[in-house]
Amino acid sequence: MFSFAAYSYPKSESFKEILFSSVIAGISIYLFLIVFQPFGTENFHHPYKYLLLFPYSIIFGGAFFLAGCSTIHFKEWNIGSELLKITAILFSSSIVSYFYNILFISHVTASFENYLYMFLYCLAVGIPISSIYILSRYIYLKTIHEKEADQISRHLADHSVSTENKDQQKLFISANNTKLEIQENHFICAQSMENYCLIYFSEYDQVKKLMIRTSLSHLLEQVQTDSIKRCHRSYIINLNRVKSLKGNAQGYKLSLPEIDFEIPVSRSFISTIIPKLQS
């Protein structure tokens, strides 16, 4: 159970995406209420019945939007985090829905018992819709990323060219007492390791490693070129050395023949990295 909750989940990383998903969630709640009319809704008779039910969609969609905006800057996100966010959405929605109900619809006396009923109603409606949202978004992103990764991998295989004949600039890397001078095409990648960076580069057709005491941001200032880019908070990569690409719901992973691990592409860097690989 805990291992499942720790599995990485792709959170929304733009206000446009959060707004769109919030509108869809709110509309889904409204459609559920008017189509199935649960919890005695079918016995509620009013000339403006459907108009009075519409604010519930605004309440749920608004809670969804605020929760998404409050978590947009979180770096680590997993299924457990997403479930906690959904729980907070349902809890806050139940409170606002309760006061809307007693003020404009049922006009019942405010009590904890009446709120408990509203909270259970929100759970009964919100959990199925939230589950569908989580699953459908995961499947959609997984399908899109896998398809695009396959296309780019074929493109890289069909247009594989040597970088040795291209005009290459020299990279001058220095940190503390360490100095390294290499050709741009000899740089493979760099990995952040707390206060250090591990640099992978080729020398006489062999892969070398060099650990230097510096931040990844400072290293990027020294090595960034048209082909050497940051693709993750912990990685810098030479895109000319990428040979294949894998896609999943979280994003993409880059494969280089010189190293035995895959390098992830953060969703915030997809708009920078993917077009470069496609060109």
Side-chain angles (χ1 to χ4, degrees), residues 67-85:
C69 292
S70 64
T71 59
I72 192 171
H73 297 299
F74 282 59
K75 293 183 178 180
E76 299 293 338
W77 201 253
N78 52 40
I79 291 179
S81 304
E82 187 70 12
L83 292 176
L84 285 175
K85 187 185 81 171

